[in-house]
Amino acid sequence: NFTLKRRRRRMATKRGGAGLYQQHPTISDNTVTASLSTTQVGLGNSRHKSLSSSKKMGKKQKQARPPLSLSPAQQDLISRLNTNPDTGLSTDEVTARREESGAFNVVKPPIDCPPTVCCLLPCIKHVPSMKAFRSIQPDDAEVLRNNDWIRYDVTSLVTGDIIRLEEGDVVPADCVVLAFSTSHVQELLVDVRAITAEDKPRSAKRIVRRKTEQGDGDEVSFVQPIQLYWGGTVVQGGCIAVVTAIGQECFVATLIAQGKFPPSANALNELAVASGGNYSDKDDQPDESGIALVQASAEPMLRETV
């Protein structure tokens, strides 16, 4: 009887085990591998979609950059320089302009001698004009290229480049102000005493006008397009500007070539008198008097204000 009962218990255990096996089948290794692969693929696709979405959002952010608010004179200057203030020049455009001009943004010092001679005659560095020149030399510049702000060596600038200047920066080329760098800037001040011997920094403020001459219609605003020169220093605020001259075409290069650097008097007034023109740096000048044009004449470095 005992043996019979034991056999019955064994049979019940086997049947119960079989029942449990059928109700809860064991998961095979292949099934686990397939499940993990599916999960990894799903995670991979989610990550890829996330990265793609981020890239698309980044592109949208670049495209959403608001266009600069420019005056008619600023728009005309941009048109003549054949540039785009919202995206900057492309790499191909920069290469073409550099090949056409055959020059880099390099201003020769007052005493232009080979490095070997300067080493043999270290006293050259202590000449007043050389000391003044070294104190205003720019190192690099923030440039808008291919719709991206990039910091380049100052020698790589070309005419028509869009640059951004902040407080403490040295102006890397002759340029005209187009806008403030941020909406928080209320006034731009640039010290150009070392180049023009002007008594006070150049100032640019925001101007608000009506669209029509009758004074009606929507208001439009723009920043005074003052002219800045290679070697000036931003002492307050920040701005976006367009390069109008580089290297030996800069205003300071003309002064050096004429032996008038560093200037002892207002260099702009002297040049204006010599050319029969008139220049004034007073605050009562018209809003757009700062835009300077390079004249196609025997003295191309003389500017006229418009």
Side-chain angles (χ1 to χ4, degrees):
N1 292 335
F2 177 78
T3 303
L4 182 60
K5 290 181 180 179
R6 187 170 60 180
R7 288 179 179 176
R8 288 176 179 175
R9 283 198 298 269
R10 287 180 179 176
M11 291 297 295
T13 302
K14 286 184 178 180
R15 290 173 182 175
L20 289 173
Y21 178 83
Q22 292 174 357
Q23 294 173 5
H24 305 284
T26 303
I27 301 177
S28 65
D29 293 340
N30 293 334
T31 306
V32 172
T33 304
S35 177
L36 289 174
S37 299
T38 305
T39 304
Q40 291 173 351
V41 170
L43 291 173
N45 290 337
S46 300
R47 183 173 180 275
H48 178 71
K49 291 179 180 179
S50 178
L51 291 174
S52 300
S53 300
S54 299
K55 291 180 179 179
K56 290 180 180 178
M57 289 179 66
K59 290 182 178 179
K60 288 181 180 179
Q61 290 176 356
K62 286 184 180 180
Q63 295 175 353
R65 181 187 296 153
L68 300 182
S69 178
L70 305 178
S71 69
Q74 288 170 323
Q75 294 174 3
D76 180 64
L77 178 63
I78 289 296
S79 177
R80 284 186 283 108
L81 292 174
N82 193 23
T83 187
N84 188 326
D86 300 317
T87 62
L89 297 175
S90 66
T91 303
D92 293 338
E93 288 174 327
V94 171
T95 302
R97 295 188 183 205
R98 187 173 293 123
E99 290 178 352
E100 182 180 356
S101 65
F104 287 87
N105 185 31
V106 178
V107 176
K108 295 180 180 180
I111 302 177
D112 189 18
C113 60
T116 53
V117 176
C118 291
C119 292
L120 295 174
L121 300 173
C123 60
I124 293 177
K125 298 180 180 179
H126 300 287
V127 175
S129 61
M130 290 293 286
K131 292 175 67 176
F133 182 78
R134 287 199 306 272
S135 68
I136 64 172
Q137 274 188 296
D139 295 323
D140 53 17
E142 192 175 11
V143 192
L144 184 61
R145 295 269 178 88
N146 302 305
N147 200 25
D148 282 322
W149 286 107
I150 304 175
R151 190 162 288 278
Y152 280 114
D153 185 84
V154 68
T155 59
S156 67
L157 291 180
V158 298
T159 302
D161 261 330
I162 306 299
I163 59 176
R164 182 162 58 187
L165 302 172
E166 299 293 347
E167 187 172 320
D169 287 347
V170 178
V171 181
D174 288 5
C175 56
V176 169
V177 174
L178 298 178
F180 289 147
S181 57
T182 66
S183 59
H184 303 292
V185 178
Q186 300 297 323
E187 183 180 11
L188 174 73
L189 294 176
V190 181
D191 185 2
V192 293
R193 284 178 299 175
I195 300 95
T196 66
E198 294 177 40
D199 296 333
K200 55 187 177 181
R202 294 203 161 191
S203 170
K205 299 179 181 179
R206 185 174 298 280
I207 304 299
V208 180
R209 287 180 176 174
R210 296 287 183 180
K211 283 187 177 181
T212 62
E213 296 180 357
Q214 290 75 18
D216 54 2
D218 297 334
E219 289 184 346
V220 293
S221 66
F222 59 90
V223 176
Q224 290 174 296
I226 63 172
Q227 176 81 53
L228 304 180
Y229 299 104
W230 183 100
T233 302
V234 181
V235 295
Q236 178 180 307
C239 71
I240 295 174
V242 57
V243 174
T244 56
I246 62 170
Q248 289 303 108
E249 295 181 352
C250 290
F251 181 74
V252 69
T254 301
L255 297 179
I256 293 174
Q258 296 177 356
K260 296 181 179 180
F261 181 85
S264 57
N266 194 316
L268 292 176
N269 280 334
E270 289 185 359
L271 288 177
V273 170
S275 62
N278 184 23
Y279 172 80
S280 175
D281 59 351
K282 295 181 180 180
D283 292 335
D284 58 357
Q285 289 292 299
D287 298 336
E288 299 177 358
S289 62
I291 289 188
L293 307 177
V294 179
Q295 299 181 17
S297 61
E299 295 181 1
M301 296 312 301
L302 294 180
R303 267 68 169 175
E304 64 175 359
T305 58
V306 295

